[in-house]
Every structure is written in C-alpha cells, then in structure tokens.
Amino acid sequence: MSKNLAEKYIEIVKERNPGEPEFQQAVEEVIRSLEPVLEKHPEFEKAGLIERLIEPERAVQFRVAWVDDSGQVQVNRGYRYQFNSALGPYKGGVRFDPSVNPSVMKFLAFEQIFKNALTGLPIGGGKGGADFNPMGKSDGEVMRFCQAFMNELYRHIGPYTDSPAGDLGVGPREIGYMFGQYKKLVNRFDEAITGKQIVYGGLNGRAEATGFGIVYFANCMLEANGEKLAGKRVVISGFGNVAWGTALKLEELGAKLVAFSGPDGYILDEAGITGEKIDYFLELRNSGKNICQPYADKFPGSVFVPGKKPWEVEADLYIPCAMQNDIRLEDAKNIVASGAKFVCEGANMPTTNEALDYLMQNGVIVGPCKAANAGGVACSCIEMGQNAGHTVFSPEQVHAQLKTIMVNIHDSAAKAAQEYGLGYNLVAGANIAGFMKVAQAMMAQGVV
Ligand code: GLU
C-alpha cells in the first residue's frame, strides 16, 4: 500500500534527521503528494529511489573566520548542501542569516531539486549559506566575510559541479565579493556564480526575475479560474528582492498592492504601493536596518502596524515573499475569513503544512513556491548559458524566456495533477511534475 509507503519514508526522514523540523516539514509535504505516483510506479520502491532522494549526495560544513572592523576575530559556520545532481550540476542560492542551520539548509536544498526540475533546465538542486548576519555590518566586514566564506567554498563549486547564487542576505554586493575571491582562487572567469552585476557578466533582468516570475505564475492561476489580475487587491510580505520584483510587476499588470511587511510589523497603504514607493524598498533594504517603519514616516497616509503580520489585511491575492513558515494556521484562518481565493507563494516554504491544509480545504487556490518562485533560478541558469556562450542577452530576450518558462511550469503542474485525478491542485501537481523528471533521470543513471 502506497499510503504506508509514504508514511514509511516520512518515518525514515524523522528518524534520520532528528531536531530538523524544517527539513522534515519539506520532505513530508512532498512525499505525501507522491502517494499516487508511488502506487503507479512500484519500480521506484525497488530502486530505493525515495531513500536516495531524501539523502543529500554531499554536504560540507566549514569554519568561516574573519576579522571585524574593531580587529576582533569572528567565527561563523558555513554550509553547502549538494542534494541532487540527477538533472545537472547542483544549483541554488546562498543564504546569510542568523537562522541558518543544517535543517534550514536541507529544506532549501531539497525544495530546490524540484523547483529546478520544474524549470525544464539542466540543473540539479543545492543550497548553501552561513549563520552570518549582514545587517548592520560595514562594507569592509561584509567583504572580508564573503572572502573568508569563499576561501573554503571555492573547492566545492564550478560551472559543471555546483553553481551558487543569492538568497536571503545575499544580493549583488555579496555575490560580487564572492565572485571576486572565487576568480582569484581558481584563476578562471567562469559561470560558477550567478546573480552577478550586469557589468561583469550578470543577466539583464535577473534581479527582478523571481518577482516577475511569481506574478506571471499568479496570473496563470487567476486566468485558469476565469479571473484577471488587473484590479485585484494584493497583500505581500517582505520588502527584499523578491517583494520588490513582485511589486513592480503587480503595478505593471494593474493589480493594487496595499500592504507589505518587515520584521517589525507591516505597512498598510490604501492609496496603493506604486512607483517611487516601490523604489523605496531598495533604500529600505540598503539601509542595513531591515525595518519598514521609515516607510510610514516618508509616505503620509500609510499606516505602520507594529508587531503584526499583514495576513489580517483583506485581499483577493496574498503573496508571502519573506521567510519560511510566515503563514501559520491562525494566519490561514484570517486569509480564508477575508474571502480570498488565491495565495501564491513567493518565499521558500512560507506556509506551514497545517496552514496549507487549512487553506486548501477551504477552497483557497495555492501556487506552491517551488513552482511560483522558480523564475529566479531559471534566469540564473540562463545567466550560466550567457556566460558559457560569451555573449549578452537583452532584457527583452530574458523576459520573453522567463514568461514562457513560468507558463510552462504552471501548465505542467496543472497537467500532472489532472493526470492523477487531483483536479486543479498545483501543490500536488508541482511536486509530481518535478519529481517525475528527477525520478526518471535517477532511474536511468543507476544506483549511485
Ligand atoms: N535563491 C533562489 C532560489 O531560492 C535562487 C537560486 C539561484 O539562482 O541559483 O531559488
């Protein structure tokens, strides 16, 4: 019985990864939706496919020692989890945040396998990071940290091995310092790192790609349900790179963004968050303070609601763009109570499994992150191709490709769910569609 089989794998994950709740949560969510697939494909059990899939192919943990501005030595912990290379070299971001630990790294790397598979591009899944907080650090400190981090990471990466990029706490500045050190150490200018600035090989449109892709995906969800994005009232969380790109595209497509959040609370701006207000996200982010209060001071008419999450604000569409487990059961109840029909996940695993079940049981259509936010990594892969081909792609070329990729991801997730008789269930469909690609490649490559 496949139900027992899925439970068996979930038990294995819990037993083998004690004290790693984020990783257990990510695996459980995927494995449960694979039940009908495992039933249809008994060969996967025989091949130990799931047992292999839930075990990282390789993991490195390393000391990152650096000197702060006062001359004091600081020690952080660096990681790279190379989870699955069935479809291509490991690919995935690097996160610098105090919350980084093996569980967070493993959940992100595991999710990345399926996300990358869904793009249809030749990339495996990996993730890295450090428990370093760039907030409040000087430029010199960030540079010395990035160089120290790369002094170890460089030996594990490369365009045909593993290609890191940005994530939370890692933007163009950090990528620049890491790339500079990588190049110095390997004496090669290659495509091992993506998310670079345009002037030295970065991709036109990579910065906004994740957010644009999320809105393209949300648009597909609405259209598949006979609705239009234009005129819809939208609430997002976060104000980082993903939130910024999302806000830009929402404005362009005529949706009305009324709230965003930071760790200190949320901003409600009934006049709509557009134009210079969206530009201000970049200033907030670069302020190194990571708070949204200054927005309320700058734009009269907006309201700062301290210590609260924006999920209590009524909307038609919610797009969490901050961190994992941002929408919990009580937030899901608020969302359902507001009569919203759509949640499109921008951040990685922003919804707890409990909240996800509640939303879906109450008729909310959820666009899962591994599908909806895949535009960022897809453009990273396009950046690798641009660098390998010693060429430059125009913003128009990139955006056209991104849009096609997002529509394809939506359609393949919807189709996979249909095939298994699950209706319009993008959460299960994305898991199934991504998994099938990885599974076929793993079956073809033997027990390795
Ligand atoms: N960190 C992003 C993600 O979660 C991008 C990864 C990449 O571009 O390699 O997908």
Side-chain angles (χ1 to χ4, degrees):
M1 271 300 285
S2 71
K3 178 126 195 149
N4 295 337
L5 206 51
E7 292 307 324
K8 182 186 98 175
Y9 296 133
I10 291 165
E11 274 316 302
I12 292 176
V13 170
K14 289 188 173 159
E15 243 173 66
R16 287 173 68 82
N17 304 277
E20 298 189 351
E22 293 86 359
F23 180 54
Q24 293 176 7
Q25 178 186 339
V27 177
E28 192 166 341
E29 192 265 311
V30 171
I31 300 289
R32 283 206 200 287
S33 55
L34 295 180
E35 278 176 19
V37 183
L38 299 176
E39 197 159 312
K40 195 169 165 191
H41 293 277
E43 69 274 19
F44 293 161
E45 183 186 4
K46 196 148 180 268
L49 192 95
I50 302 291
E51 284 96 329
R52 286 188 281 142
L53 188 67
I54 57 182
E55 196 64 30
E57 289 177 9
R58 186 178 301 103
V60 284
Q61 181 189 310
F62 47 95
R63 183 180 71 202
V64 186
W66 57 285
V67 182
D68 70 17
D69 284 347
S70 70
Q72 180 66 45
V73 172
Q74 300 285 345
V75 178
N76 286 97
R77 200 169 275 178
Y79 304 90
R80 187 74 184 167
Y81 277 83
Q82 299 177 329
F83 222 113
N84 192 292
S85 61
L87 294 178
Y90 310 104
K91 180 91 196 82
V94 168
R95 175 175 290 195
F96 291 164
D97 191 79
S99 66
V100 164
N101 61 34
S103 175
V104 169
M105 289 284 97
K106 278 159 82 175
F107 111 67
L108 288 164
F110 184 74
E111 285 281 300
Q112 200 83 42
I113 303 169
F114 308 101
K115 181 194 310 199
N116 293 4
L118 283 166
T119 66
L121 296 166
I123 35 179
K127 201 86 182 193
D131 59 351
F132 169 76
N133 190 357
M135 290 296 157
K137 300 286 191 302
S138 73
D139 231 33
E141 288 177 323
V142 169
M143 182 180 76
R144 291 194 294 282
F145 176 80
C146 289
Q147 291 173 339
F149 183 78
M150 192 47 72
N151 283 344
E152 173 59 34
L153 190 67
Y154 86 96
R155 71 188 87 246
H156 307 289
I157 63 173
Y160 297 99
T161 317
D162 184 356
S163 170
D167 196 81
L168 202 77
V170 178
R173 174 182 63 167
E174 290 75 16
I175 292 289
Y177 293 146
M178 284 196 272
F179 182 77
Q181 189 70 356
Y182 168 80
K183 179 163 63 73
K184 190 175 173 73
L185 290 165
V186 302
N187 190 28
R188 216 172 38 233
F189 194 117
D190 65 27
E191 64 273 26
I193 299 175
T194 64
K196 301 182 289 293
Q197 286 176 39
I198 291 163
V199 68
Y200 67 93
L203 187 76
N204 277 304
R206 172 63 187 90
E208 55 270 42
T210 310
F212 279 24
I214 290 162
V215 180
Y216 290 143
F217 193 89
N219 199 33
C220 290
M221 288 165 61
L222 270 86
E223 283 183 355
N225 290 278
E227 303 220 24
K228 280 206 169 343
L229 193 58
K232 288 281 179 300
R233 189 178 156 91
V234 187
V235 164
I236 67 173
S237 63
F239 60 79
N241 182 57
V242 176
W244 167 74
T246 300
L248 285 176
K249 195 47 112 182
L250 284 171
E251 180 182 9
E252 192 190 316
L253 298 187
K256 187 175 184 193
L257 177 62
V258 293
F260 71 93
S261 70
D264 53 338
Y266 73 83
I267 291 284
L268 176 62
D269 190 346
E270 288 289 354
I273 300 163
T274 55
E276 59 159 343
K277 295 175 176 174
I278 300 174
D279 296 343
Y280 190 62
F281 280 21
L282 300 179
E283 267 178 63
L284 280 183
R285 199 175 67 201
N286 295 339
S287 71
K289 291 199 200 88
N290 195 21
I291 52 169
C292 53
Q293 159 81 74
Y295 180 103
D297 303 336
K298 190 172 166 70
F299 299 108
S302 65
V303 183
F304 174 55
V305 183
K308 288 278 183 70
K309 291 187 174 192
W311 316 126
E312 61 185 27
V313 177
E314 271 189 28
D316 304 304
L317 165 65
Y318 293 88
I319 311 182
C321 297
M323 284 267 257
Q324 63 268 15
N325 294 332
D326 196 10
I327 300 181
R328 296 177 174 273
L329 185 58
E330 59 275 21
D331 307 312
K333 287 182 178 165
N334 280 336
I335 289 173
V336 168
S338 91
K341 262 178 85 177
F342 301 96
V343 171
C344 188
E345 296 184 330
N348 288 314
M349 205 169 77
T351 316
T352 66
N353 286 347
E354 232 185 356
L356 189 60
D357 288 345
Y358 185 86
L359 290 171
M360 291 172 73
Q361 279 157 13
N362 285 280
V364 176
I365 292 163
V366 180
C369 52
K370 57 173 78 69
N373 78 16
V377 74
C379 283
S380 269
C381 190
I382 298 170
E383 182 175 329
M384 291 171 79
Q386 168 179 279
N387 298 155
H390 304 278
T391 186
V392 176
F393 299 139
S394 70
E396 293 74 24
Q397 282 175 299
V398 175
H399 284 144
Q401 221 178 325
L402 171 64
K403 198 167 180 182
T404 306
I405 289 171
M406 296 315 298
V407 172
N408 287 344
I409 293 175
H410 170 269
D411 293 352
S412 61
K415 188 163 163 252
Q418 277 291 340
E419 270 171 22
Y420 281 90
L422 301 168
Y424 187 71
N425 180 342
L426 296 173
V427 174
N431 286 338
I432 294 170
F435 168 78
M436 282 310 291
K437 287 188 187 167
V438 180
Q440 282 162 9
M442 286 177 73
M443 292 299 280
Q445 292 169 25
V447 178
V448 287

